[in-house]
Amino acid sequence: MARSGVRGEGARPRVRQADDLGWDDSLYDENGDPADGGGASGGRGGDATGQGSGSTSRDSGSSGTGGDSADADGRGAGSDKRNGRPVDKDGDDASAEPRGQGRHGGGGGRRRGSDGGHPRRRRRILRWSASVLALLILGTAGAGYLYYQHLSANIKKDDLNLGDEKDRAAKSKANAAGQTPLNILLIGSDARDTKENQSLGGAKETFGGTPLADVQMLLHLSADRSNMSVISMPRDTLLKMPKCTDPDTKKVYPATVGLVMTNTSLGRGGPGCTVATWEKLTKIHIDHFIKIDFSGVVSMADAIGGVPVCVDANIYSKDSQGHGSGLKLKKGTTPVKGTQALAWLRTRYGFEDNTDIGRTKAQHQYMNSMVRQLRENATISNPGKLRSLAETATNALTVDKGLGSPLKLYDLGNELKKVEPKRITMTTMPWQWAVSDSNRVEPKPVEAEQLFRLVREDIALDGKDKKKTVTAVKASTDPAAADDQIGVTVQNGTRTAALGPVGGRARTVSQLLVGKGFTKAEADSSAATAEETTVIRYPSADLQGDAQAVAKALGVPLSAVKKSTDVSGVTLVVGADWREGTAYKAKAQDNTTPESADVLNGAKTDACMHVNKDYTWS
């Protein structure tokens, strides 16, 4: 069947049914946009409801409705068709000439059909009707394509990771069914780069200044799509940042020597540096990022139609010194949208102890409520509502290039909505007050790493995972050097939050290794660190066999052998699980979420923020 349009005009991705989450990658370019000439230019033309039939081939058809009838991603819907035409019960083209009345006549082979009409005239009428129909289809499909291109142009894109490739965290492993998890970093920017953002954000002296990543949440969607975990990092967190290179100016931001606030990562070349910072800290591979600014939050909140939030007392977030977001609510539950929603998400003065930790909890409550609202709101299936939401979302968001098309954002939404609210777990990275600055926080070593590991290993934070089959770690294919030729640095990592380090532990274990034939083993004399479990790190694939040989000699499981660019050679860190003795005994792994992560379940409808007594009103 010939395509109904010419190459490059009205080309659209193939139409998918609601349960079809895949697409033909050959129809897209590297940015996820429709490739020139890909797909058919005709397609499911639009009636007033956005549903019609088309004349394109079944496998490469178009989508799209004209004008206001288009839905969020320009898709149309139609009945069962072949080549864009109705199919009868026998699978034949129902739009062809009726049997017994066509060009060969019916009954006794008469030239005319049973209605007595002239076959040539009827053929001319059919051809004329088909031509008119084709023009209508082309018009509506073209409008759908143009609208799709319009949405695509709305989306702002940036590079995913601005760090060095060698510093990237390893990609998530597939489960037994071949499914892989999805990790998305959500970034809220405080940029005052437009008049609207300046008006919403205040602080006139910061107009046009370097933006800060004041909201950072890692969203982890499990491989089997049964659950979702979210980890927030307080903006006041101090940590070291990796080297980042601005993709536009090529300016290189060297890795920091000391600790800096995590929200400054956005000003080191863009959101890709925030991604690189998270990967360096958590060792979790991040697949995508989504960034939104003040005006984006306001427009999205308006498009959603209001999100219910709760406070346990009247709150007015403003004091005599000008501190506060201006949020003013009565006790109880109130739907917030627009600037009020932004104020809720920005409030720290008025919630709990007036710190960023309270603000993080408020953000979790808002997100959970928003998810429930979207799922429960029946009007979201309305094409006009979806179109409005699509228009708003594509204008409000900056994403990595892998998400840079309406279809890919649509598919991501379909993946996320597979998770029921009761399987969504909101957490805050376990933290402690920073040693170097009592007004800032830093990751709580053992418990933060525990939370990161659960996400890395795709273990549900709500503890409701089905029992998973543990896959044995394969031995390295690269043979190890002779024991006496393997250099090993031994570090003391026995410090815990409650206990100081065990003195001389690195020396004791290095001597143990020497006695086992690893004569080049040496103790590191630097200060002890905190490592929950004993680990052996190596920097490159050619040293994996050597690292595994050390593990086997000490009875350390191969799962504790990790590749890391933080070391220059095979490095054994004696952890808090081996504070004494010369025989290593691996303890049963704890897969529970730390209490300090401050868990909030997505189905908890009675969550209510505690209002600081200094910010109440009557």
Side-chain angles (χ1 to χ4, degrees):
M1 184 76 180
R3 298 176 186 261
S4 60
V6 295
R7 179 181 177 88
E9 295 182 4
R12 282 298 314 269
R14 67 180 177 85
V15 176
R16 299 170 300 162
Q17 300 302 320
D19 58 348
D20 177 12
L21 296 179
W23 61 62
D24 184 353
D25 287 334
S26 67
L27 303 183
Y28 297 86
D29 61 22
E30 61 186 7
N31 293 325
D33 294 320
D36 290 341
S41 60
R44 301 182 182 186
D47 59 11
T49 63
Q51 299 182 14
S53 62
S55 61
T56 61
S57 68
R58 177 173 51 182
D59 293 329
S60 59
S62 72
S63 73
T65 61
D68 292 340
S69 60
D71 63 10
D73 56 314
R75 290 175 173 75
S79 59
D80 186 19
K81 297 180 179 66
R82 174 180 301 163
N83 296 328
R85 297 178 177 176
V87 177
D88 67 16
K89 65 181 179 181
D90 297 316
D92 293 325
D93 190 342
S95 66
E97 293 175 329
R99 296 178 184 178
Q101 299 183 20
R103 59 198 299 193
H104 299 297
R110 293 177 297 161
R111 298 287 296 175
R112 297 181 180 180
S114 59
D115 62 355
H118 295 280
R120 290 183 181 177
R121 180 181 300 171
R122 187 157 67 259
R123 285 199 297 272
R124 285 197 299 270
I125 292 172
L126 288 172
R127 283 197 296 269
W128 179 84
S129 299
S131 298
V132 172
L133 180 61
L135 286 172
L136 290 172
I137 290 169
L138 282 172
T140 54
Y145 175 65
L146 291 174
Y147 183 63
Y148 179 88
Q149 291 294 77
H150 164 70
L151 291 179
S152 295
N154 285 349
I155 302 171
K156 298 174 284 295
K157 309 179 190 74
D158 218 324
D159 287 7
L160 175 61
N161 192 305
L162 303 183
D164 287 344
E165 186 61 33
K166 64 181 179 64
D167 292 333
R168 292 294 309 270
K171 290 187 176 181
S172 303
K173 295 180 180 178
N175 61 14
Q179 303 164 303
T180 54
L182 197 59
N183 296 309
I184 304 162
L185 189 63
L186 308 179
I187 305 170
S189 167
D190 79 339
R192 274 92 166 166
D193 52 355
T194 65
K195 288 184 177 180
E196 185 178 6
N197 278 331
Q198 179 64 62
S199 174
L200 292 167
K204 295 181 179 179
E205 70 280 1
T206 64
F207 184 80
T210 303
L212 299 172
D214 275 355
V215 177
Q216 299 178 38
M217 296 183 181
L218 179 64
L219 187 156
H220 171 83
L221 185 62
S222 67
D224 63 5
R225 305 306 189 249
S226 68
N227 66 88
M228 186 190 304
S229 303
V230 177
I231 302 176
S232 285
M233 185 189 298
R235 70 156 192 170
D236 293 338
T237 302
L238 295 178
L239 41 70
K240 290 184 178 180
M241 292 197 186
K243 170 186 172 184
C244 290
T245 303
D246 189 308
D248 298 323
T249 66
K250 306 305 177 187
K251 179 179 179 179
V252 176
Y253 296 84
T256 62
V257 176
L259 300 175
V260 295
M261 276 180 60
T262 182
N263 64 351
T264 61
S265 59
L266 191 58
R268 292 165 54 85
C273 193
T274 308
V275 169
T277 301
W278 269 80
E279 286 202 2
K280 178 179 176 62
L281 174 68
T282 66
K283 303 298 186 292
I284 297 170
H285 181 85
I286 295 175
D287 302 287
H288 300 292
F289 74 78
I290 298 175
K291 187 187 77 166
I292 190 167
D293 58 16
F294 293 150
S295 59
V297 170
V298 170
S299 60
M300 284 293 291
D302 281 339
I304 292 168
V307 175
V309 295
C310 177
V311 287
D312 65 2
N314 295 346
I315 180 174
Y316 181 45
S317 177
K318 185 69 72 175
D319 64 15
S320 59
Q321 297 177 328
H323 295 142
S325 66
L327 177 72
K328 190 172 185 178
L329 295 176
K330 291 183 178 180
K331 177 182 178 180
T333 300
T334 306
V336 295
K337 61 180 181 178
T339 55
Q340 202 174 33
L342 177 64
W344 175 274
L345 294 170
R346 297 187 68 202
T347 296
R348 65 182 295 178
Y349 291 98
F351 286 151
E352 300 193 348
D353 58 355
N354 299 332
T355 67
D356 195 49
I357 307 303
R359 171 163 48 191
T360 298
K361 292 180 182 179
Q363 291 166 355
H364 290 170
Q365 184 189 137
Y366 181 92
M367 285 190 65
N368 280 341
S369 185
M370 180 180 69
V371 169
R372 293 194 301 269
Q373 191 76 358
L374 285 171
R375 293 179 70 93
E376 295 168 5
N377 188 351
T379 62
I380 202 67
S381 61
N382 179 281
K385 179 80 170 179
L386 282 172
R387 176 171 176 158
S388 174
L389 195 55
E391 188 78 33
T392 302
T394 53
N395 270 306
L397 306 177
T398 298
V399 300
D400 64 279
K401 295 173 183 176
L403 278 182
S405 76
L407 279 179
K408 290 194 174 182
L409 285 172
Y410 174 82
D411 281 345
L412 174 61
N414 275 333
E415 292 293 283
L416 295 175
K417 74 179 183 182
K418 291 178 181 179
V419 181
E420 295 288 336
K422 64 183 179 181
R423 296 301 313 277
I424 297 175
T425 307
M426 295 280 180
T427 66
T428 299
M429 177 196 74
W431 57 273
Q432 62 190 23
W433 294 111
V435 175
S436 59
D437 186 342
S438 60
N439 293 316
R440 303 286 181 254
V441 301
E442 59 189 10
K444 202 169 187 178
V446 174
E447 293 168 43
E449 171 54 27
Q450 165 84 343
L451 188 64
F452 299 153
R453 179 184 64 78
L454 294 178
V455 171
R456 281 197 303 267
E457 298 179 8
D458 196 25
I459 297 171
L461 299 186
D462 61 5
K464 297 178 181 178
D465 261 338
K466 294 179 180 178
K467 190 173 182 180
K468 295 183 178 181
T469 302
V470 179
T471 305
V473 178
K474 294 181 180 179
S476 173
T477 56
D478 183 57
D483 291 352
D484 61 359
Q485 295 300 309
I486 298 176
V488 186
T489 299
V490 182
Q491 296 177 345
N492 185 347
T494 58
R495 180 189 295 276
T496 71
L499 300 170
V502 178
R505 194 64 185 145
R507 183 174 62 256
T508 298
V509 177
S510 66
Q511 291 173 350
L512 175 63
L513 277 171
V514 170
K516 291 179 176 291
F518 293 85
T519 55
K520 290 189 175 182
E522 295 182 347
D524 186 341
S525 59
S526 58
T529 59
E531 198 78 45
E532 183 180 9
T533 59
T534 297
V535 63
I536 301 172
R537 298 188 172 101
Y538 63 95
S540 54
D542 60 316
L543 292 178
Q544 183 184 27
D546 293 0
Q548 289 187 350
V550 173
K552 290 175 183 177
L554 295 174
V556 175
L558 293 186
S559 59
V561 178
K562 309 286 186 182
K563 184 179 179 181
S564 171
T565 56
D566 291 337
V567 297
S568 57
V570 176
T571 304
L572 165 65
V573 184
V574 184
D577 61 341
W578 197 10
R579 289 175 62 88
E580 60 184 12
T582 56
Y584 179 76
K585 295 180 181 179
K587 66 178 182 179
Q589 202 166 52
D590 179 11
N591 287 337
T592 59
T593 302
E595 288 186 15
S596 56
D598 206 3
V599 170
L600 177 64
N601 183 268
K604 187 174 175 59
T605 58
D606 60 350
C608 213
M609 286 302 299
H610 175 61
V611 177
N612 187 290
K613 62 181 179 60
D614 294 330
Y615 290 84
T616 60
W617 59 277
S618 58

